[in-house]
Amino acid sequence: MTVPVAVDDDPLMRSKIVQMRKKRAGDVRATIAVMPSPAPVRFTVATYNIHKGFSQIARRMVIHELRERLRGLAADILFLQEVLHTHARHATRYREWPSSPQHEFIADAFWHEVAYGRNAVYPHGHHGNALLSRFPMLAQENLDISAHLFESRGLLHCEIALGEDLPSLHCINVHLGLFERGRQWQIQTLIDRIENAVPNGAPLIIAGDFNDWRSKGDRALTDALQLVEVFGSVRGRPARTFPSVLPVFRLDRIYARGLRVLDAHVHYATRGARMSDHAALAATFEVAPLQQATAQVVNGR
């Protein structure tokens, strides 16, 4: 009768098993190593205070021209300020007044996802900030950050899905007040919101009309949140955006973190154009995919 020998008791068998396991692990690592890593994704954002769809001079309705201009920016995500949702008096006064809210009229079939945050309410209607996106929106919330009764201001926070294996993008659309003391409180409220609602390391873009002509808010934001102002990053300082025909003040900004800034442009109005009193800003970013489990295996994590 033959007595079976346990593998642990046979040094030769144990050595063969170890070699087989090493070869199998090497084959798995080789397979993982040749798997192509997901490529970074590029996207463009733009911000524009549309002045409720009226021209800077003579208060002429230009919402149709604005829509065409905004589409020409080819932005994947659009931050808009001073967007009229409803205005009963304008609807009866202007023959070509859109039948839908301005953000929906601008979006149409070009931007599939829209969010609107109501800021100012008056007898004939209301206006606020809007965010338009070609990417799916996961969540949205509008916060009242009015510093006093004479200015109604808001903060529209949206979370956007950029795609499979990509981190979600937090977008905050702001329109801050005209008075510095109020802006200081609004900027601190913005900082608190981000610290409490945006995960560390999550891609973040803050854009809009900051009315920060003395750049005090710029320093507070960049120091507290490790943000970069995209025009400062690309061109050395924030862009002049107001008034749009002959810009002097640097009122509009785009801030970011957790993203690579590739380029930034200012879109000024020509002297003959009947557009908003602000210039439009656009920036292109690149975001890296989330780390894959296979990459963690290769790195031994």
Side-chain angles (χ1 to χ4, degrees):
M1 179 176 181
T2 304
V3 179
V5 178
V7 171
D8 291 342
D9 296 334
D10 187 341
L12 180 61
M13 182 64 71
R14 188 165 61 246
S15 175
K16 288 182 178 180
I17 291 174
V18 169
Q19 289 177 4
M20 290 174 60
R21 286 176 178 173
K22 286 182 177 179
K23 182 178 183 302
R24 187 177 302 167
D27 293 342
V28 170
R29 288 192 178 94
T31 303
I32 293 172
V34 299
M35 289 176 62
S37 9
V41 172
R42 295 184 178 186
F43 63 94
T44 299
V45 308
T47 180
Y48 198 21
N49 182 326
I50 68 170
H51 202 236
K52 305 181 186 73
F54 287 91
S55 64
Q56 177 180 354
I57 302 171
R59 292 283 298 171
R60 300 179 67 177
M61 186 187 74
V62 294
I63 188 65
H64 296 270
E65 294 95 323
L66 280 170
R67 180 172 71 169
E68 295 309 309
R69 185 185 185 200
L70 290 168
R71 290 180 177 182
L73 298 180
D76 299 294
I77 303 170
L78 188 58
F79 297 69
L80 300 176
Q81 303 84 46
E82 291 196 30
V83 180
L84 270 176
H85 184 283
T86 305
H87 199 290
R89 181 176 292 177
H90 291 341
T92 57
R93 181 178 179 182
Y94 297 97
R95 185 190 311 173
E96 296 182 355
W97 189 258
S99 58
S100 57
Q102 286 182 344
H103 60 287
E104 294 180 2
F105 173 75
I106 291 170
D108 196 23
F110 205 78
W111 290 279
H112 306 294
E113 300 275 337
V114 297
Y116 170 78
R118 182 175 62 182
N119 296 340
V121 182
Y122 26 82
H124 301 290
H126 54 87
H127 75 265
N129 300 331
L131 194 136
L132 283 54
S133 173
R134 292 179 178 176
F135 300 106
M137 244 178 239
L138 303 175
Q140 58 178 277
E141 185 177 2
N142 189 57
L143 302 181
D144 183 356
I145 58 169
S146 304
H148 50 75
L149 295 175
F150 306 105
E151 286 184 314
S152 299
R153 306 293 183 179
L155 178 161
L156 179 61
H157 181 180
C158 300
E159 187 177 354
I160 292 176
L162 294 175
E164 187 178 358
D165 297 329
L166 292 171
S168 61
L169 173 68
H170 289 261
C171 295
I172 299 182
N173 188 356
V174 300
H175 187 189
L176 303 187
L178 297 173
F179 301 102
E180 189 166 305
R181 179 176 293 183
R183 282 199 307 276
Q184 290 175 353
W185 176 83
Q186 290 167 343
I187 287 171
Q188 186 57 52
T189 302
L190 173 59
I191 291 171
D192 294 342
R193 170 69 182 185
I194 291 168
E195 289 179 340
N196 293 326
V198 179
N200 290 332
L204 167 68
I205 295 176
I206 310 168
D209 180 357
F210 286 79
N211 279 314
D212 183 31
W213 59 278
R214 297 178 67 185
S215 294
K216 289 191 174 182
D218 177 80
R219 290 187 290 271
L221 280 172
T222 54
D223 290 348
L225 299 171
Q226 290 75 54
L227 299 166
V228 296
E229 200 284 323
V230 298
F231 284 85
S233 173
V234 173
R235 305 188 182 275
R237 64 188 308 178
R240 299 179 189 269
T241 59
F242 183 89
S244 58
V245 174
L246 189 62
V248 176
F249 301 109
R250 308 174 194 275
L251 302 187
D252 304 86
R253 310 274 172 79
I254 302 175
Y255 294 93
R257 80 177 186 198
L259 298 164
R260 182 184 174 199
V261 183
L262 300 179
D263 206 356
H265 293 282
V266 191
H267 297 269
Y268 294 114
T270 61
R271 291 186 180 274
R274 302 177 300 146
M275 293 293 177
S276 166
D277 53 350
H278 287 251
L281 301 180
T284 300
F285 299 95
E286 187 174 81
V287 60
L290 293 166
Q291 286 186 326
Q292 302 295 314
T294 51
Q296 294 178 356
V297 170
V298 171
N299 295 329
R301 297 177 185 173

